[in-house]
Amino acid sequence: MKLLFKSNNYSFYAQIFNPLAINAVKKILPLEVPVLVLCERICFSIPTTNIAGEEDKNLKIKEGDLFWDIQKKYLCISLCSNSSFINDPVFKGVKIGKILSSIDELQQLKEGVKASISLFEEKNVSGNRILSQEEIDILIKQLLKEK
């Protein structure tokens, strides 16, 4: 599932891979929230308890990774690999996807600016919506049941 982030004259996309996050995010979007610029990451405060399940104790964050900060309830984007906040003993997170834009462009986002976050549905050249992998899996299961 893809997300579209828009702020002022800037927009970028992210891909979510975590199935729990996909289901949770679909229920709360679209949103408009302020941009938070924290230590080596850009975050968005999300009004929900948890979108991605249990903490990943072996979490490895790379530049451009999209992750859920469990304690702060932030959807975050890492601005660098081997971020120092990962080593903070109170940090608890789960990687849920990655951004599909350049980090250099993301660093232009300013603290406090409003950003809208919405689902992005791709359309092919005929104008028809492209199915997500999750939707394809559901259709296959339905077809197999009918046999």
Side-chain angles (χ1 to χ4, degrees):
M1 180 180 82
K2 284 187 183 173
L3 299 180
L4 171 61
F5 293 77
K6 283 187 179 181
S7 178
N8 291 344
N9 297 326
Y10 184 67
S11 63
F12 65 94
Y13 300 92
Q15 180 79 42
I16 295 182
F17 304 118
N18 179 300
L20 292 173
I22 289 171
N23 291 331
V25 166
K26 281 181 179 179
K27 294 175 187 173
I28 60 174
L29 293 182
L31 285 175
E32 189 167 304
V33 294
V35 172
L36 303 165
V37 180
L38 303 174
C39 175
E40 302 168 334
R41 62 195 186 268
I42 293 172
C43 301
F44 307 90
S45 181
I46 305 294
T48 188
T49 54
N50 192 351
I51 66 168
E54 296 296 314
E55 168 190 14
D56 180 354
K57 295 189 188 298
N58 299 314
L59 184 63
K60 303 270 192 260
I61 297 288
K62 296 179 185 160
E63 179 179 282
D65 282 345
L66 185 68
F67 64 95
W68 176 247
D69 183 325
I70 293 171
Q71 291 180 309
K72 295 183 178 164
K73 298 179 181 72
Y74 289 166
L75 182 61
C76 301
I77 300 161
S78 177
L79 298 176
C80 60
S81 293
N82 302 316
S83 299
S84 61
F85 64 86
I86 290 295
N87 299 320
D88 183 340
V90 297
F91 174 78
K92 292 179 173 41
V94 180
K95 185 161 57 170
I96 63 170
K98 67 178 185 170
I99 61 156
L100 304 173
S101 302
S102 146
I103 288 296
D104 296 333
E105 293 172 355
L106 286 177
Q107 290 175 333
Q108 297 174 21
L109 288 172
K110 303 290 183 218
E111 174 92 23
V113 171
K114 290 282 186 181
S116 67
I117 306 172
S118 59
L119 295 176
F120 177 72
E121 294 192 45
E122 295 180 276
K123 300 200 182 237
N124 61 21
V125 287
S126 68
N128 296 323
R129 187 173 69 81
I130 297 173
L131 295 176
S132 70
Q133 185 61 50
E134 180 184 27
E135 292 169 316
I136 292 169
D137 293 344
I138 290 168
L139 288 172
I140 289 172
K141 285 178 186 175
Q142 288 173 346
L143 287 171
L144 290 172
K145 266 187 185 177
E146 291 174 7
K147 279 190 162 188

